[in-house]
Amino acid sequence: MSDPSASFRPREAECYHCGLPVPTDANFPVRVGGEMRQMCCAGCQAVAQAIVDNGLDDYYRHRDAMPESQKEALPEALGELGLFDHPDFQKSFVRPVDEHEREAALILEGITCAACVWLNEQHVAHLPGVTAIDINYATRRARVRWDERRIHLSDILGAIQSIGYRAYPYDEARSEQIARRERRSALWRLFVAGFGAMQVMMYAIPAYIARDGDMTVDIEQLLRWASFALTLPVIFYSAAPFFQRAWRDVRLRRLGMDVPVALGVGSAFLASCWATVTATGDVYFDSVAMFVFFLLCGRYLEMVARQRAVRGVESLGKVLPVFADKLLPEGGEERVPVSTLAPGDRVRVKPGEAIPADGVVLEGRSAADEALLTGESRPVPKAAGDTVTGGSLNVSSPLVIDVRQVGDATRLAAIMRLMERAATEKPRLVKLADRIAGRFIAFLLLVAVAAAVGWYIVDPSRALWVFVSVLVVSCPCALSLATPAALTVASDAMARIGVLVTRGHAIETLAKADTFMFDKTGTLTVGALQLVGVDTVEACAPAQALQIAAALEQGSEHAIATGIRQAALAPLPVASEVLATTGQGVEGRIDDVRYRIGRADFVASLVGAPVPESLAGNGDGVQTRVFLGGEGGWMAAFCFDDRVREDAADLVASLRADGCALGVLSGDAPDTVAALAAQLGIDDARGGLSPQGKHDAIAALQREGRVVAMVGDGVNDAPVLAQAHVSVAMGEGTELARTQADVVLLGGKLVALGDGIAMAKRTFAIVRQNLIWAFGYNVIAIPLAVAGWVTPWMAGIGMSASSLLVVLNALRLQRSKKSTDL
């Protein structure tokens, strides 16, 4: 007898577990059924090995098709084996937060309303060992943190599954797959409901137009039973998810949005069934079918619009190519998966191809389209020695690139992590709307019952329909969608103009900020400091001072350190016991002598004397002076020149026109800071500040009631960035500054901040419109339904249109353009 699995058994070049191609240099064998099988990666190897070790080899023998993706390759039984806890499997979606805390990006299937989000958050948050969970209603994505000593990821996924939802490790393919499945399922249910509604209406019309006596009882009963039969698929297939989710909510003692819908549809259907069986009263099968059709139609359109909004945010995850042309050391090239590239590899990128990793151009001259990564709409020239970013597009000529960063270490990966963090954090307005929506349903049920009782007393024949209409016409979904839909679209639109939002509250706070404080070096200026002069005391030669200074600054990322190292001649002396003091300078020991480089007072505390006049300078320019001294006395002052950013004046003028207060906080000499501020038209210039001084200055402004935004770039700015209501970092700054900031300017252009502020204000105008509509609709619609002026099918249309309107209104933000495009 032939092996039943032979027809779908993967070829040798395909992964035995998932069916994807096995890279030529991959070596992940697993012995399955006595034969050695090749897997494509360590993750598949780990999963396959666990399957074998747990005696589940039959999975491979009995499966009747290859899985759709690597994660689908898990047999159901493996959910109990803790495979999600395997380090190799977690590499792609779990990151360490500290020694024992881990964070995973998940996508949830089955989320249909704000109540679902609330339920999952509450359920998971109460698990011992879970330290945080945030779920975004618009994107269906979750960020969960846990202490791995107390709980495993598999336990968390199991807990989510136990309440009727499914959670998966997040990846773009999975997200699109779920979205496609949702659309397909919704379309089928919509088709059945629409077809059923049309047919039922055909049988209902004769009853509507017939006059008394025109239709015999037998014919009338025949039409009723025919309508009943045609409504059954609508109830038990199209409307089934409403009843399933409502029952789940009831079991969990929770009122979700589907509870009133299920009550309305169910009560109308049962009343019609009773009227049909007893041949008394009216039947409403046509209205039930029409209502379900309109409700599904609205939810389908809302789902499509929501997925379109999310698709923009997720587009960044698809910019990396799957394969790259790797140059071999022995000559020639080989096409390899991008996931196998390592630092030090050389790759050739043809015109029109995406650059596979961060690196440096070795050969060729071309231009890179970095619009998706920085918002810069024009291609950026690239030549030998220039850095390139993975995900950007090589525009004109071939380039040979030395790979420097791959995988999670790339700039693209960092950007996506920050976007995910922003997407899963809830601003204050979203939390408030969720709380209101949660209580709204309980209020609605009370109103519906009261209305039904009232109408039963006044006109019993209308009591049922009024009850159904009140339940259906309200729409807490619109309330829950109003803010997250707008913020999701705005985050995508802002990223496209080079403004990366990394925190959930950033857009709201940026829109409200009335005071903007700037760092000087690297923010208002380019930060590419050039050494333009060296003043020394008589006993010290300039070259000697430069060598000592460069040795002390060897490990610093500061622009001043870079300028000194570029000017010093090699070889440099060896510095030991090097210690950097944030905002002050660097101290170290060279040939048993302690030296300091940095601010005048920092160096003076080691030298034990004030700065001599020969080094102090005249203080009448915008140059930055850095001092060097040792245990033997003062040695030198280094004069640096910096260039003001071309767009700094435009941003300052724009903010002043908006009525914002502006200031500069810097550790540079007060005269230097004052000169720069005067050049840009900024009145509040404060120089010579330590990081604590900047922090205190921001705190003082906040005590005056100001909403303060701080714009900085470096390590020195981290404390003050954290103190500000909203912080903005230049994308060229250090990693620390980028992760501390709420907003990152990816293209290093200040004018993008002006565009971002305008977008933030427009976003909150949209949020206000959505909230006004959501509240206004419910305030008007519910009384009309209570008064008996809204039929159930009208209520279905109103409820669906209400949700759809707030999503479509949010999508208007996608049409926004940056100022340079206007």
Side-chain angles (χ1 to χ4, degrees):
M1 181 178 290
S2 63
D3 185 349
S5 66
S7 61
F8 53 84
R9 176 170 292 169
R11 298 186 298 271
E12 289 301 319
E14 295 175 340
C15 176
Y16 190 74
H17 181 67
C18 70
L20 293 178
V22 177
T24 54
D25 58 347
N27 184 25
F28 302 103
V30 175
R31 186 174 294 280
V32 181
E35 293 185 42
M36 195 61 72
R37 304 291 187 182
Q38 274 296 334
M39 311 296 159
C40 64
C41 63
C44 281
Q45 184 188 40
V47 175
Q49 190 63 57
I51 292 173
V52 173
D53 292 346
N54 287 280
L56 293 170
D57 304 46
D58 284 351
Y59 161 67
Y60 294 110
R61 196 160 59 85
H62 293 304
R63 62 180 178 180
D64 54 8
M66 293 304 296
E68 296 180 19
S69 71
Q70 295 182 28
K71 281 72 180 183
E72 286 285 347
L74 297 174
E76 191 171 343
L78 292 180
E80 302 172 1
L81 303 180
L83 284 181
F84 285 102
D85 305 324
H86 197 287
D88 284 336
F89 194 75
Q90 292 186 351
K91 278 182 180 177
S92 62
F93 66 100
V94 174
R95 71 178 187 90
V97 178
D98 56 31
E99 185 180 0
H100 299 293
E101 193 174 21
R102 299 290 181 268
E103 180 180 293
L106 305 174
I107 183 164
L108 266 63
E109 190 176 4
I111 297 288
T112 58
C113 66
C116 299
V117 173
W118 182 91
L119 174 63
N120 277 277
E121 287 183 341
Q122 294 296 314
H123 184 64
V124 175
H126 285 89
L127 296 175
V130 173
T131 54
I133 178 170
D134 290 299
I135 301 172
N136 185 294
Y137 179 33
T139 64
R140 272 49 171 173
R141 288 165 62 174
R143 180 175 60 91
V144 59
R145 286 187 178 186
W146 71 96
D147 186 335
E148 63 175 359
R149 295 170 299 180
R150 302 177 60 196
I151 193 171
H152 296 118
L153 177 60
S154 56
D155 299 327
I156 298 172
L157 299 182
I160 293 173
Q161 191 167 352
S162 71
I163 57 173
Y165 301 86
R166 298 185 72 181
Y168 306 94
Y170 174 77
D171 63 57
E172 295 79 25
R174 164 69 67 183
S175 179
E176 179 57 33
Q177 185 184 61
I178 291 175
R180 192 164 48 243
R181 190 159 62 216
E182 282 184 351
R183 290 196 299 271
R184 187 165 56 239
S185 174
L187 265 180
W188 271 111
R189 294 184 192 281
L190 181 61
F191 167 75
V192 171
F195 186 78
M198 285 190 296
Q199 298 302 311
V200 173
M201 188 58 71
M202 289 174 58
Y203 290 99
I205 288 177
Y208 287 142
I209 62 177
R211 292 176 297 182
D212 290 342
D214 287 352
M215 187 179 296
T216 64
V217 174
D218 292 343
I219 294 297
E220 185 176 0
Q221 274 300 99
L222 178 63
L223 294 178
R224 287 188 174 194
W225 280 106
S227 298
F228 166 75
L230 290 168
T231 307
L232 287 178
V234 178
I235 294 294
F236 290 100
Y237 177 68
S238 296
F242 297 121
F243 293 106
Q244 292 165 355
R245 291 191 290 262
W247 175 242
R248 177 196 63 203
D249 291 342
V250 170
R251 282 192 294 113
L252 296 170
R253 300 179 182 179
R254 160 84 188 152
L255 290 177
M257 188 54 224
D258 290 307
V259 172
V261 172
L263 273 176
V265 173
S267 56
F269 177 73
L270 292 176
S272 299
C273 291
W274 176 256
T276 301
V277 171
T278 60
T280 57
D282 297 323
V283 296
Y284 311 101
F285 294 119
D286 56 329
S287 293
V288 169
M290 290 289 287
F291 164 63
V292 173
F293 170 70
F294 284 130
L295 192 60
L296 290 176
C297 189
R299 290 205 174 181
Y300 177 76
L301 293 175
E302 180 256 321
M303 178 183 65
V304 171
R306 176 174 49 79
Q307 290 181 354
R308 178 183 166 192
V310 174
R311 201 172 296 130
V313 175
E314 296 181 342
S315 60
L316 269 181
K318 303 174 183 176
V319 298
L320 277 185
V322 178
F323 295 99
D325 294 326
K326 177 181 175 182
L327 301 182
L328 303 175
E330 61 274 18
E333 62 185 50
E334 180 185 12
R335 196 157 182 78
V336 300
V338 169
S339 59
T340 64
L341 290 178
D345 287 344
R346 293 184 304 148
V347 294
R348 186 189 306 280
V349 183
K350 298 172 185 174
E353 290 184 345
I355 295 172
D358 292 356
V360 175
V361 177
L362 293 177
E363 299 175 18
R365 182 179 292 274
S366 183
D369 183 351
E370 300 176 342
L372 268 178
L373 302 172
T374 66
E376 175 57 62
S377 56
R378 292 166 297 187
V380 180
K382 297 294 179 183
D386 289 342
T387 58
V388 290
T389 306
S392 56
L393 189 68
N394 182 21
V395 175
S396 54
S397 302
L399 290 174
V400 175
I401 294 170
D402 181 26
V403 175
R404 298 292 176 86
Q405 306 281 353
V406 296
D408 286 346
T410 62
R411 179 181 171 86
L412 176 63
I415 290 173
M416 292 182 63
R417 278 198 300 273
L418 294 174
M419 291 184 75
E420 286 175 10
R421 185 176 68 183
T424 51
E425 287 185 351
K426 289 185 178 181
R428 181 186 55 84
L429 269 178
V430 174
K431 292 179 180 176
L432 178 63
D434 284 352
R435 282 201 301 271
I436 295 174
R439 295 167 183 166
F440 180 83
I441 296 173
F443 166 76
L444 175 68
L445 291 176
L446 292 176
V447 171
V449 170
V453 171
W455 274 101
Y456 187 79
I457 297 171
V458 176
D459 183 356
S461 66
R462 302 183 64 184
L464 175 63
W465 281 131
V466 170
F467 176 68
V468 174
S469 297
V470 173
L471 288 176
V472 172
V473 76
S474 62
C475 187
C477 291
L479 192 62
S480 298
L481 270 173
T483 304
L487 293 181
T488 300
V489 177
S491 296
D492 171 52
M494 291 173 75
R496 290 178 184 278
I497 60 175
V499 182
L500 178 65
V501 176
T502 73
R503 293 287 186 185
H505 73 90
I507 296 179
E508 179 182 2
T509 314
L510 195 61
K512 295 178 179 176
D514 57 14
T515 302
F516 285 80
M517 304 302 290
F518 294 88
D519 178 44
K520 173 184 164 288
T521 304
T523 303
L524 292 174
T525 66
V526 175
L529 291 171
Q530 292 186 340
L531 185 63
V532 295
V534 180
D535 297 331
T536 60
V537 296
E538 188 173 350
C540 180
Q544 178 192 4
L546 274 172
Q547 284 203 314
I548 294 174
L552 294 172
E553 297 279 20
Q554 278 282 46
S556 174
E557 296 180 342
H558 198 280
I560 288 177
T562 304
I564 288 178
R565 288 198 298 267
Q566 290 174 346
L569 297 175
L572 300 178
V574 177
S576 60
E577 302 176 20
V578 176
L579 178 64
T581 303
T582 303
Q584 300 293 315
V586 178
E587 177 182 323
R589 185 177 292 276
I590 299 175
D591 295 334
D592 290 332
V593 178
R594 281 200 303 153
Y595 295 94
R596 281 186 178 182
I597 182 170
R599 291 164 49 127
D601 53 350
F602 177 67
V603 179
S605 63
L606 173 66
V607 175
V611 181
E613 290 186 3
S614 60
L615 302 183
N618 54 20
D620 59 353
V622 295
Q623 291 182 346
T624 298
R625 296 180 76 82
V626 177
F627 299 90
L628 174 69
E631 292 174 322
W634 288 94
M635 298 181 67
F638 303 97
C639 302
F640 291 88
D641 208 355
D642 200 0
R643 182 163 48 88
V644 178
R645 289 184 186 271
E646 294 177 355
D647 52 359
D650 293 337
L651 175 64
V652 168
S654 170
L655 293 175
R656 286 173 66 93
D658 285 345
C660 298
L662 306 177
V664 182
L665 303 177
S666 176
D668 283 358
D671 292 339
T672 304
V673 177
L676 175 73
Q679 182 180 339
L680 292 173
I682 299 176
D683 299 327
D684 186 4
R686 310 183 200 185
L689 294 176
S690 63
Q692 185 60 43
K694 295 179 184 178
H695 182 278
D696 294 343
I698 294 292
L701 290 169
Q702 291 172 325
R703 285 195 293 272
E704 296 173 8
R706 306 263 187 96
V707 180
V708 182
M710 178 68 200
V711 188
D713 80 311
V715 175
N716 293 348
D717 301 317
V720 72
L721 287 177
Q723 173 63 31
H725 289 110
V726 60
S727 54
V728 183
M730 308 300 291
E732 306 153 316
T734 64
E735 182 69 24
L736 176 60
R738 283 198 293 270
T739 53
Q740 287 282 334
D742 304 318
V743 177
V744 177
L745 302 182
L746 292 174
K749 290 189 174 180
L750 279 175
V751 72
L753 178 58
D755 293 329
I757 295 168
M759 175 70 76
K761 291 181 177 177
R762 187 157 178 249
T763 300
F764 267 79
I766 295 281
V767 168
R768 279 195 295 272
Q769 293 167 8
N770 282 352
L771 289 175
I772 289 172
W773 165 256
F775 278 111
Y777 166 81
N778 285 297
V779 167
I780 295 173
I782 293 176
L784 290 177
V786 170
W789 292 348
V790 178
T791 63
W793 67 268
M794 291 169 61
I797 293 177
M799 177 189 185
S800 303
S802 184
S803 295
L804 182 61
L805 186 67
V806 297
V807 177
L808 292 178
N809 194 31
L811 285 174
R812 292 194 299 131
L813 290 166
Q814 288 182 331
R815 297 201 297 268
S816 300
K817 296 182 178 180
K818 56 183 178 180
S819 58
T820 52
D821 293 338
L822 298 177

